[in-house]
Each structure stands twice: as structure tokens, then as C-alpha cells.
Amino acid sequence: MVLEQKIGFDKVRDRIAAKAVTEYARRKVAAEQMSRDPDEIMFRLRLTDEMRLICLFEDSFPAGGYLDTKEFLLPIQAENTSIDLPSLRALRTSLDTLRRILAFFRDCKDDLYPMLRQISASVSYDPEISRRIEAILDRNGEVRDNASPELAEIRRTLRSKEGQVSRRINAILGNAKGEGLVEADAEVVVRDGRVLIPVAAGSKKKLPGIVYDESASGKTAFVEPFEIVELGNQIRELQFDEQREIARILFVFTEFLRPYLGGLIAASEYIGEIDFIRAKALVALDMIAGMPVLSDNGEMNLRRARHPLLEASLRREKKEIVPLTLSLSREKHILLISGPNAGGKSVCLKTVGLLQYMFQWGMLIPTSEVSEMLIFDSIFIDIGDDQSLENDLSTYSSHLQNMREILTHATEHSLVLIDEFGSGTEPAAGGAIAEAVLARLDDLGAYGVITTHYTNLKLYADKSTGVVNGAMLFDGAAIKPLFQLQQGMPGNSFAFELARKMGLPADVVKDAEQRAGSEFVNIERNLRQIARSRRVLDEKLARIKSTDKTLESLTDRYQKELEDVKALKKRMLDEARAEAADIVSEANKQVERTIREIREAQAERDKTRLAREKLTKFKETLKEEKPSENDAAIERKMQKITERKERERVRKERRGEMPGQARHDGKDGKPGVTDRADKTPLQVGDKVRLKDNNMVGEVTQIAAKYISVSVGSIISKIAPGKVEKISNQQYKEQTRSTFRPVIHYDSESISRRKLEFKPTIDIRGQRLADALDIVMHFIDDATMVGVGQVKILHGKGNGVLREEIRKYLKTVPSVASFRDEAVQQGGAGITVVELDL
């Protein structure tokens, strides 16, 4: 397939086939095709990933014994056929492997390797077949003497006859030596199963027997004595009897086996399937590959991706590969890469194509575990020289033919890979055609990675909504490529710098620069400046979104905790009232007894009535629910949170309705420079409170229109009028109150969390943002329920997820320390967190 050859997947197939043991697995490697079904792709990937973990951690899983048995099982389905001895040996090995595989999945925990357990569920193993085979074969694979009574008798007689031959031949040889017919150091020789005595050619007639052979020189004859001939014939007849009995035993076994052949053939295919999956897993381990996340939002995010074939080649040369990181989305779905020659543009393109094809083929890919992949209906590629003398196609004509094919069939679910876009013809015309094709692909919504040197395409990407520039970085001082992709800015060809490095005369290079003109140089410089400014703006917007999300999460969390406290208070009051009611009831009984005694003592009725009225009033007061100061405080706090969320909603609506408008706090349209509560100017290091949410922080930078405030681990840029200056004492008190652990009574919600909380969490396969959110809530829950140590299973991969999780843990006040798990229990793939309770 042309596509596979151009992106290099044919070599990946060869590496997987080399790891396969069975012919079934090798055929499947050759026949397996790229899938477009998400469920099928994820099923293949999970099978491979589970097998990768088994190969990595499970010593009890069979590493050998994968044999093809289907080839000899199919013929013996016919009547009057029989299995042969080598096939019986192979069947025994295969059944033992099957038994060990099924036992492994049967004995492992229920939550481990679910996909492999699923495909193993329908496979059966009948121990009776193995028992019958063990009754026939010994440990060396030979037929046992006691496989049948007849065989035992034949072999007993055979051994007796062979003993007789040994004794008689030694006796005859001794006599021949005594008579001088043979040399004194002569030994008995066995040829073709016949026992012979070496005799000098001149004496061969003196030894009664049959001359069976002569030496090359003709000086020695090999004679079989007549006595031995008769015994030998008897032995050969017994050997024939032995083979006939073995054939009968195998025939009887085949008759027994025939009803089980359907299940055995299915088991053979299952072993071949396991061998196929295992071959993929072994190659994945060699590539240090993992399972990415299937994107559900139209984004492709490759994180620290590596071209597996290039990496293997560089590893042999003791060199390191430079990982690739890039992002495509529905809004920015085409990446236009530019930069110097031999700077890595084509490698980036081929890396994307190869990893995408591997992913849809069901192969783990060498990227970070937080990478996100899409599923495409088709992949188009235009790379290399496809000129054809037979079809009268030039290089550029072949490119145009490929462009026609792409524009005819590409959709928003296609991936387009084009190398050196527009090259091969006159630059002005080639650039114009390339820009028109790029515009059509942009309109179609197709995803793509395209490399080029044309400035007009870079300009189109800068003003287009669907195309984004990407630059291959270049060390201008050392005049060498860095092989790093920087997305968001166009690349420079650095043609003049490379010309100088390659030794082109300086006056020629200078003349070329003058001929190119300052306009060309300025365009390149301005493009990079615009892209750089846009990237800074995008980063600021991303930080603002992240801050908003964090604040929303904190607000929701505090509101939930206040609701829990309120519910706890109500429950405590209800219990107190119930207890008071019991006390009053008991007191009421005592009063009744007292009244009875008074009445019996003829006391005054008015006093008795007054006592009962007081008692009744007291009982009524217990039923009344009087709001306390704590209730009022809670209500005020809840009201503040509600108002804060409403302000946040209005602020977001304003931001959405009036994009790009500046917000001013001063009367003259400029932000104020002093605080309203404290008229002294703000300085770096001052402590301030944010008016919108009452959070406190420290001023880290003061600019003309904004100040930077550090709130915990988050630095936000805020208008000066949005903060108020506070004292260091107020800052310390509010900081302590913010992070003071709640150690009061447990509500029902907290009690339930304690019961359901597990001290280990698995975030493998999660996107980075989702993983951080899960860990944040996990640490909060651990702190709330009072667990001193927790474990986060994030996998090893390329270490990106582990690094980001640990960066977050450093910002959490309740985290005392963290470390890697012990090597035998997971090592760097698990972070053990100690909490300060």
C-alpha cells in the first residue's frame, strides 16, 4: 500500500511480524487494516495495552509455547485419519500453554485486564484431552511403554532380543580376535541398524556371515555374522510391530479426539490471537509506546510524540530524538510548517501520519499518555517524487494529480499531509495554486499538516481562521537546526545564513540579500512579531480561563461544605430537642406524681393549676426553633456566595457581549493608581484583598494599566481599582482561616465519603486538565476524611502527567511531602503523597 510505504508503516508491520511466533499471528499482521470504528479501535488498543502491562509486570504469563495446531487438526476431522507423533507433541505443548493462559486470567483480580478476560471467556479447556496425551507420551515426547499392554509386551521382547544380540556379537568378536581375524582394538560397528564386525579383506571368508559393506580403501570388510542376522531379523520384525501398535494407539486417540476438534480449532485461533496481541505489545515496549486518549471535542493534541523508526535509528547512533508537540482543533485544523531545509519539517509531517495510522490500526503510539487522537475516515498524503515515465507524469504533474484527488474526496473527517506544498514549478504560479488549494481545504474543514517555504502561504495562515503557522526552530548563532516545532508563528528558511555556513562567497550572499530586497526581510520579521504577540495573548487568555475555573471550583466546594455544616447543625438541634423532650416527659411524670400527692394532701387547687400552666409553657418553648448567631452567620455566608456567583455570571456575559472593549476604573478612562481604602500608592510586596471574591494575595508587579497579584499559586493581572490594601496581620489571619482544616462533627455526606473513600486513584488515560481536576478533588476528600497517605497511579509514559501532578501538589498546603512508590510496586509510575492532617 502506497500510503503505508510513504509514512513508514510497512516497516512497523515487519517489526510486529518478527515478534510473532505462530503463522496465524503473522498472517493477521499482514491482513489487519486501519479501522474507522471508534469502538473497534479502542478495543484493539486496550487489548494491546493490557498485554503490554502483562509483559512488563506478570512473570506467570506464558512467554513461549505458542504453536500452530490448526494446520494438522483440520485434516483429522475426516474419518479414518489419524494424528501423527510430532503433531501430538505440538498439541500437548499448545494445550499446556492454553491451560496456563486461561488459569492466569481466571486467577487474576476482577478489575485487571478486562478486555483480555473478555476474549478468553468463551475459550474452553478440557483436561481430559491432556490426561489422555500424558498417558501416551512421556516427558521427552516419546510413546510410553505402558501406552498399551501390547506395546509393553513388544518392547519387553525387543529389549530381550537386543540383549541377546549384544552378548552374541561380543562373543563372536572375542573369538575372531583370538583367531587373529580382526585387529586387537577392533570394535563392533552399527550401520543402518545392523551390527557388524570389521574384518581384514583377506580374512572376510573365514568369518561366517554376510559382507554388508567395505571401507573406502577396500582393506576392511564389515561382516554381519549369521547368528546375528537371524536375531536382527527378529528385532526388525518386532520394531515393525512396535510402529504398528503406536499407529493403532494414535488412531484410537484420534477417534477419541474427533468430537473435541471444534473447540480445539477455536482454541488454536485464540492462541494465535494472543500471539498477535503479544507481538504488538512487545513492539510497543521497544518503542516505549502507550495508549493515548480518544478525543471527543474535535481536538488532536500530540504531546512529546516520537517517530519510532527515526528514534530507533538515532538510538543506534547514540543520539536522542527531539519530541514533537502540536495541537489541531476544529477552529485551527491545518498546521502550516515552515523553516529551514533539513530542519525537521518532513519528519513532523511523517510523525503525525505514522502515529495516526498506527492509532487507527490498533497499535500503541510513542507519545505522552495525555495525548489526544482523532479518528479520520481517510488519510491523504502527497510526499516525495511520484514522477512516472510510463504515464508521462513530471514531478509537478504528479503533485497536481494528488491535489485533484485530495480536493475531490477530502472532507472534514479527513487528514491531509502535503510536503513542500507548491514546489516543483515557477514560484509565483506554484505559490498561487498552492494558496488556492489551501483555501479550499480550509473551507472543507479538513485537518492537515503541510510544509512549505512560500511566504504567501504564511501570510494566508496568519489571516485565516482555520490555518495556523508553525516554525521549525533554528539556532541563528550556531547556524544549525534545533528540530523543535513552535506552533503559532511562521518559520524562516534562513537561506542566507545557511549559504554562508556552506561556504558560499560572502559577496555573492550579500548580493543575494540586496536582490531579495528589504521588503522580503521585513515581511518575515513582521510575521514572526505578529505571531509572537498573538501567542502571548493566547497564553494570557488561557491563564484567565484556568483562574476562573479554579475560583468556580473553590466556590462550589465551600458552598457544599457550608450546606453540610448547616445540615449537621439542624441534625444536632433535632437530637438536642428530642433529648430535652425526653427529659421533660420524665419531669412531667414526676410533676403528675407530685400533684397527685398534693391533691391527696388536699392542697390548694389554684397553686396546682399554676404549676401545670408553667410546665406547659416550658414544653412549648422547647418546640420552638430560635435562630442562633451561627445560623445568621451561615446564612450571610451563603448569601455572599450566591451574590459572588451572580457577579461572576454577569461578568462572563459582559465579556461575551463586548469582546475587545477595554475596561477602565478611573474617571479619565485610566485605571486608578491608589487604593480607595488606603490612599497610599500600591507597591510590590503589599498585601491586598480582591473586591470581587474577598480572596487575599500579594502584589508581585505594577504596570501602567494593571497590577499582578499572587493568590496562592495563581498569578492574576487585575485593574488596581479591583483590589483594596490590607495589613500584613489581616493577610495572615485570612490565610490561616482559609486553610484551617475542618475538624468538627461529621455530616452524613462526610461520613459516607469516609466509608467510600479509597486511598488510591488511577488517572492513566485522562487528559491533563481532567487529571488535575480529579487529583484536586481526591486530595480534598483525603484531607476531609483524615487519610494521612494516598497514592496516585499516573503511569510512567514520558513523565509529563507525573510532572504536572507534582507541580500541583507543591501548591497544596495540606501536602507534607510526596515521593515515588517502591520499584517493585510501580516505581515512578505511582506518586505516594503524605498529608499533614
Side-chain angles (χ1 to χ4, degrees):
M1 187 176 179
V2 176
L3 173 61
E4 290 190 3
Q5 292 174 354
K6 287 192 173 184
I7 62 178
F9 185 75
D10 56 329
K11 295 181 176 62
V12 176
R13 274 192 198 267
D14 293 341
R15 292 177 64 175
I16 298 173
K19 296 288 186 179
V21 178
T22 62
E23 187 60 31
Y24 175 96
R26 286 189 286 270
R27 285 197 299 267
K28 178 131 191 201
V29 172
E32 191 89 327
Q33 296 298 317
M34 181 185 84
S35 175
R36 297 166 181 82
D37 180 10
D39 294 335
E40 175 64 20
I41 291 171
M42 296 310 297
F43 180 69
R44 294 180 185 179
L45 289 171
R46 290 191 181 105
L47 287 174
T48 308
D49 191 50
E50 289 178 5
M51 185 59 73
R52 178 182 68 89
L53 294 176
I54 288 175
C55 294
L56 199 58
F57 298 114
E58 304 288 356
D59 294 333
S60 59
F61 193 83
Y66 298 93
L67 300 178
D68 283 306
T69 59
K70 186 177 179 179
E71 299 301 324
F72 61 77
L73 289 176
L74 288 173
I76 64 175
Q77 289 179 308
E79 296 291 332
N80 298 321
T81 56
S82 176
I83 193 171
D84 57 25
L85 197 55
S87 298
L88 184 62
R89 296 185 185 114
L91 180 60
R92 179 170 74 167
T93 301
S94 180
L95 286 175
D96 182 62
T97 303
L98 176 66
R99 176 189 62 79
R100 293 168 59 198
I101 293 174
L102 296 180
F104 173 85
F105 289 122
R106 183 187 64 241
D107 297 338
C108 69
K109 296 180 180 178
D110 292 340
D111 57 342
L112 289 178
Y113 318 122
M115 296 294 103
L116 288 171
R117 288 164 63 94
Q118 177 182 326
I119 68 171
S120 304
S122 61
V123 181
S124 61
Y125 165 75
D126 195 328
E128 179 60 21
I129 301 175
S130 295
R131 191 190 68 77
R132 289 288 189 101
I133 295 176
E134 293 302 323
I136 296 174
L137 300 180
D138 60 18
R139 67 174 60 185
N140 297 318
E142 300 297 333
V143 178
R144 296 177 181 272
D145 291 351
N146 60 354
S148 73
E150 293 81 359
L151 183 62
E153 178 61 24
I154 291 171
R155 287 186 172 175
R156 185 191 62 78
T157 306
L158 184 61
R159 283 192 291 271
S160 174
K161 294 296 182 182
E162 288 174 344
Q164 291 182 31
V165 168
S166 179
R167 290 191 296 273
R168 286 304 305 150
I169 196 68
N170 286 327
I172 294 172
L173 178 62
N175 293 334
K177 288 180 179 180
E179 295 174 2
L181 300 178
V182 298
E183 299 291 336
D185 58 350
E187 297 289 340
V188 174
V189 177
V190 178
R191 291 191 177 180
D192 299 329
R194 296 178 180 274
V195 184
L196 309 174
I197 296 177
V199 182
S203 305
K204 62 184 179 181
K205 294 184 178 180
K206 296 180 181 179
L207 182 66
I210 299 173
V211 177
Y212 185 77
D213 198 3
E214 288 185 348
S215 64
S217 63
K219 296 181 179 180
T220 303
F222 297 94
V223 179
E224 183 180 16
F226 286 127
E227 293 183 53
I228 303 303
V229 171
E230 180 59 26
L231 287 173
N233 289 338
Q234 295 176 13
I235 288 173
R236 277 186 289 278
E237 186 174 344
L238 288 170
Q239 288 173 340
F240 291 145
D241 291 342
E242 179 187 28
Q243 294 304 315
R244 282 192 291 270
E245 179 60 20
I246 290 174
R248 187 192 69 81
I249 292 171
L250 294 177
F251 183 81
V252 172
F253 173 77
T254 306
E255 292 294 313
F256 156 78
L257 191 65
R258 196 163 285 120
Y260 299 94
L261 286 178
L264 290 174
I265 291 172
S268 175
E269 293 175 348
Y270 167 77
I271 289 178
E273 194 71 28
I274 292 293
D275 182 33
F276 167 69
I277 298 170
R278 188 170 179 273
K280 290 167 60 180
L282 292 174
V283 174
L285 286 173
D286 291 343
M287 293 179 177
I288 317 178
M291 188 172 76
V293 179
L294 178 59
S295 176
D296 57 0
N297 58 4
E299 292 185 4
M300 172 194 279
N301 292 303
L302 284 176
R303 296 288 178 265
R304 299 185 62 79
R306 309 176 320 276
H307 194 293
L309 304 178
L310 176 62
E311 184 176 32
S313 176
L314 291 175
R315 191 182 299 131
R316 288 191 291 269
E317 300 175 9
K318 308 297 183 183
K319 297 180 180 178
E320 292 289 331
I321 194 170
V322 178
L324 168 68
T325 295
L326 63 82
S327 297
L328 296 176
S329 64
R330 290 191 180 96
E331 294 75 25
K332 296 292 184 181
H333 49 91
I334 298 178
L335 175 61
L336 186 73
I337 304 177
S338 52
N341 288 317
K345 300 189 300 297
S346 298
V347 172
C348 290
L349 181 143
K350 290 182 178 180
T351 300
V352 174
L354 177 57
L355 298 194
Q356 182 65 45
Y357 198 94
M358 289 172 62
F359 172 73
Q360 293 192 225
W361 192 79
M363 184 65 188
L364 303 179
I365 59 176
T367 67
S368 167
E369 293 175 343
V370 297
S371 293
E372 299 177 77
M373 301 295 288
L374 294 169
I375 295 176
F376 296 105
D377 293 338
S378 53
I379 300 176
F380 299 96
I381 187 167
D382 179 47
I383 186 172
D385 185 0
D386 289 332
Q387 65 176 333
S388 171
L389 297 177
E390 293 82 0
N391 298 324
D392 194 25
L393 282 178
S394 66
T395 299
Y396 188 65
S397 297
S398 68
H399 287 314
L400 292 178
Q401 190 177 63
N402 290 336
M403 292 305 104
R404 182 190 64 190
E405 184 75 11
I406 292 170
L407 294 179
T408 303
H409 298 100
T411 68
E412 61 181 358
H413 301 296
S414 301
L415 176 64
V416 178
L417 306 170
I418 304 176
D419 193 30
E420 298 295 345
F421 197 24
S423 63
T425 189
E426 194 273 323
I433 293 175
E435 185 173 346
V437 173
L438 182 59
R440 177 63 62 86
L441 292 175
D442 188 6
D443 293 339
L444 290 172
Y447 288 74
V449 177
I450 299 174
T451 69
T452 188
H453 287 287
Y454 285 177
T455 301
N456 65 310
L457 299 183
K458 302 176 195 177
L459 290 169
Y460 177 87
D462 187 62
K463 66 183 180 181
S464 167
T465 57
V467 184
V468 60
N469 273 306
M472 299 308 299
L473 298 184
F474 189 85
D475 187 343
I479 315 296
K480 68 176 183 179
L482 299 177
F483 305 108
Q484 294 178 1
L485 173 67
Q486 185 169 17
Q487 196 164 334
M489 63 179 295
N492 192 326
S493 64
F494 291 95
F496 301 129
E497 290 81 352
L498 287 172
R500 291 190 184 93
K501 181 181 180 181
M502 298 305 296
L504 208 63
D507 57 336
V508 173
V509 176
K510 186 175 181 180
D511 183 40
E513 289 178 329
Q514 292 174 349
R515 290 175 183 274
S518 59
E519 182 179 356
F520 171 81
V521 178
N522 291 334
I523 288 176
E524 293 287 330
R525 183 184 299 113
N526 292 336
L527 275 175
R528 287 198 296 275
Q529 182 59 42
I530 292 170
R532 196 176 296 113
S533 299
R534 177 175 292 178
R535 187 176 67 256
V536 171
L537 179 60
D538 290 341
E539 291 174 354
K540 290 180 179 179
L541 290 174
R543 282 200 301 270
I544 291 172
K545 290 180 181 179
S546 177
T547 303
D548 287 347
K549 184 176 180 181
T550 302
L551 291 176
E552 287 177 5
S553 177
L554 287 172
T555 302
D556 293 340
R557 180 174 136 209
Y558 291 147
Q559 183 174 4
K560 181 67 172 63
E561 290 179 359
L562 284 172
E563 290 173 354
D564 289 344
V565 170
K566 191 173 181 180
L568 174 62
K569 179 178 178 296
K570 184 178 182 304
R571 180 168 62 82
M572 292 175 63
L573 288 175
D574 290 342
E575 292 175 356
R577 292 190 190 98
E579 184 179 355
D582 291 340
I583 295 172
V584 170
S585 177
E586 182 63 29
N588 191 33
K589 292 178 183 178
Q590 181 64 36
V591 169
E592 292 291 345
R593 285 195 296 270
T594 304
I595 291 173
R596 187 170 59 251
E597 292 174 359
I598 292 173
R599 187 177 292 128
E600 290 172 356
Q602 299 180 350
E604 294 181 9
R605 290 185 178 182
D606 292 338
K607 291 184 178 180
T608 302
R609 180 174 53 79
L610 291 173
R612 290 179 64 87
E613 288 177 355
K614 289 181 179 179
L615 180 61
T616 301
K617 289 180 180 179
F618 176 67
K619 290 169 64 178
E620 290 298 328
T621 59
L622 290 175
K623 295 180 181 179
E624 296 177 2
E625 183 178 349
K626 297 180 180 179
S628 65
E629 293 182 2
N630 290 334
D631 288 336
I634 291 174
E635 291 297 336
R636 287 196 300 272
K637 192 69 175 177
M638 294 285 284
Q639 181 64 26
K640 284 184 179 180
I641 290 175
T642 302
E643 292 174 357
R644 186 184 309 151
K645 294 184 74 173
E646 179 63 20
R647 287 197 302 271
E648 182 68 17
R649 184 185 65 78
V650 172
R651 182 171 62 83
K652 287 183 178 179
E653 288 180 356
R654 287 176 180 172
R655 186 183 300 168
E657 293 169 359
M658 300 178 289
Q661 293 187 7
R663 300 178 61 189
H664 304 287
D665 296 303
K667 294 180 180 179
D668 57 353
K670 297 180 180 179
V673 295
T674 61
D675 176 63
R676 293 179 181 176
D678 186 342
K679 297 302 181 179
T680 59
L682 291 172
Q683 298 180 354
V684 174
D686 282 349
K687 306 301 188 293
V688 295
R689 178 185 290 110
L690 279 63
K691 294 179 179 180
D692 286 345
N693 52 30
N694 288 330
M695 298 184 74
V696 297
E698 181 179 347
V699 177
T700 60
Q701 182 182 359
I702 298 177
K705 296 184 179 181
Y706 65 85
I707 62 171
S708 296
V709 179
S710 172
V711 181
S713 62
I714 300 171
I715 298 178
S716 301
K717 293 181 179 178
I718 305 170
K722 295 296 183 180
V723 301
E724 59 183 2
K725 190 173 180 180
I726 61 175
S727 65
N728 289 336
Q729 184 63 28
Q730 288 175 309
Y731 175 79
K732 291 179 180 178
E733 289 177 356
Q734 184 157 347
T735 303
R736 283 198 298 268
S737 64
T738 300
F739 298 112
R740 183 177 297 126
V742 179
I743 56 175
H744 300 297
Y745 302 98
D746 291 345
S747 67
E748 294 179 4
S749 173
I750 297 175
S751 299
R752 185 170 61 255
R753 288 190 193 181
K754 281 188 175 182
L755 292 174
E756 297 176 354
F757 183 78
K758 296 181 180 179
T760 301
I761 190 172
D762 186 351
I763 57 172
R764 292 176 297 175
Q766 298 289 337
R767 289 194 293 264
L768 179 58
D770 294 338
L772 288 172
D773 190 58
I774 292 170
V775 170
M776 181 181 72
H777 287 88
F778 177 62
I779 296 297
D780 288 346
D781 288 347
T783 304
M784 183 176 297
V785 301
V787 175
Q789 183 188 86
V790 295
K791 297 181 180 180
I792 303 172
L793 174 57
H794 43 64
K796 296 180 181 178
N798 293 306
V800 175
L801 188 56
R802 170 178 177 268
E803 181 181 351
E804 294 300 324
I805 292 298
R806 294 192 172 193
K807 283 181 182 177
Y808 166 72
L809 292 175
K810 291 179 181 178
T811 69
V812 180
S814 59
V815 173
S817 64
F818 52 82
R819 66 179 188 278
D820 287 343
E821 179 60 282
V823 175
Q824 60 271 25
Q825 296 178 8
I830 299 175
T831 294
V832 181
V833 184
E834 302 289 346
L835 298 174
D836 186 8
L837 302 178

